[in-house]
């Protein structure tokens, strides 16, 4: 497992019983986590500094219960990056902190290079978009949610990134990629963070087991002659790291891009208790050849 060791404004205080107790800046939240099935070391719901708890409903969805006043949103930092945090109606807070380990990797690969063009699909609130643009890349950020894209814009502004460094597209990712292929567009790096299930801007249905491989196959066609990297993230427990590696590697090889060094790994976070909490997996291909 790869886990970032550089968080200062975020911490998992404790975990277990299908929940995780998190510290976001000065705010303590308790949220469900289906991987944390071990017995907790104490009653997480009884934590005296707890601000809020999210409880799933048996009929689907869920809701927050707040015990202490807290702002509608606040800002946390990761190294030189800043992000807006706000609890949403569907359990999320607007950021996936385990992805910091990948922000470091992509930022390091981009840093110092001129004219790098990055395509970030299923970009959400822009964690990876901010990391890439902050390192100097031009990013095309694609997501079907107008609300999440608006938060991404605010995160970009919050980090002092030039407004023309990011292009925002509200659309179904597969349809956008198909149009970019027809237009002959190319990118030096591609990131995708697909959900297990979702709907596009016009109601298009996304199922990761059915649609991930064809999308990766199409995205490979958008790679430039001197590509930098290709990163896929998945939170779906049924897709193991080796499956992710196979999808990325077979599509790159079929397209003649055998110069990639592809690896796959679990991503997660270390809790204050010393427990490794898994949070999905990534497949990362770094271009090692001269020309594609």
């Amino acid at each position: 497992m790869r886990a970032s060791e550089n968080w200062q404004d975020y911490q998992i205080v404790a975990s277990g019983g299908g929940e995780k107790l998190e510290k976001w800046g000065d705010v303590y939240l308790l949220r469900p986590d289906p991987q944390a099935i071990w017995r907790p070391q104490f009653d997480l719901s009884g934590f005296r500094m707890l601000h809020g708890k999210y409880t799933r409903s048996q009929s689907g969805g869920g809701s927050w219960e707040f015990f202490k006043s807290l702002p509608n949103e606040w800002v946390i930092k990761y190294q030189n990056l800043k992000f807006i945090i706000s609890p949403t109606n569907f359990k999320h807070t607007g950021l996936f902190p385990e992805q910091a380990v990948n922000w470091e990797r992509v930022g390091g690969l981009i840093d110092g290079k001129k004219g790098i063009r990055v395509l970030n699909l299923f970009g959400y609130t822009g964690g990876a978009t901010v990391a890439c643009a902050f390192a100097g890349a031009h990013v095309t950020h694609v997501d079907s949610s107008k609300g999440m894209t608006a938060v991404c814009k605010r995160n970009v502004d919050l980090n002092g990134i030039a407004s023309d460094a990011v292009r925002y597209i509200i659309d179904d990712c597969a349809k956008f990629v198909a149009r970019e292929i027809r237009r002959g567009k190319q990118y030096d790096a591609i990131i995708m963070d697909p959900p297990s299930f979702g709907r596009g801007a016009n109601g298009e249905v996304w199922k990761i087991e059915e649609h991930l491989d064809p999308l990766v196959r199409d995205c490979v066609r958008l790679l430039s002659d001197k590509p930098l990297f290709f990163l896929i993230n998945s939170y779906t427990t049924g897709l193991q790291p080796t499956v992710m590696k196979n999808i990325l590697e077979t599509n790159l090889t079929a397209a003649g891009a055998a110069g990639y060094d592809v690896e796959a790994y679990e991503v997660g976070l270390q809790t204050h208790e010393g427990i490794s909490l898994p949070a999905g997996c990534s497949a990362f291909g770094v271009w090692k050849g001269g020309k594609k």
Side-chain angles (χ1 to χ4, degrees), residues 159-177:
N159 284 275
I161 296 167
S163 59
D164 61 355
V166 181
R167 174 190 178 203
Y168 303 97
I169 304 293
I170 301 172
D171 200 356
D172 174 77
C173 289
K175 288 186 175 180
F176 175 77
V177 167

Side-chain angles (χ1 to χ4, degrees), residues 2 105 229-232 241-253 257-265 282-288:
R2 296 196 177 194
R105 293 194 75 185
F229 63 82
F230 198 129
L231 169 63
I232 310 173
T242 300
V243 174
M244 301 286 288
K245 181 177 186 290
N246 291 343
I247 289 173
L248 182 54
E249 198 164 43
T250 55
N251 281 296
L252 289 169
T253 300
Y260 271 90
D261 180 12
V262 180
E263 60 177 322
Y265 46 87
S282 296
F284 205 118
V286 178
W287 178 249
K288 297 296 185 181

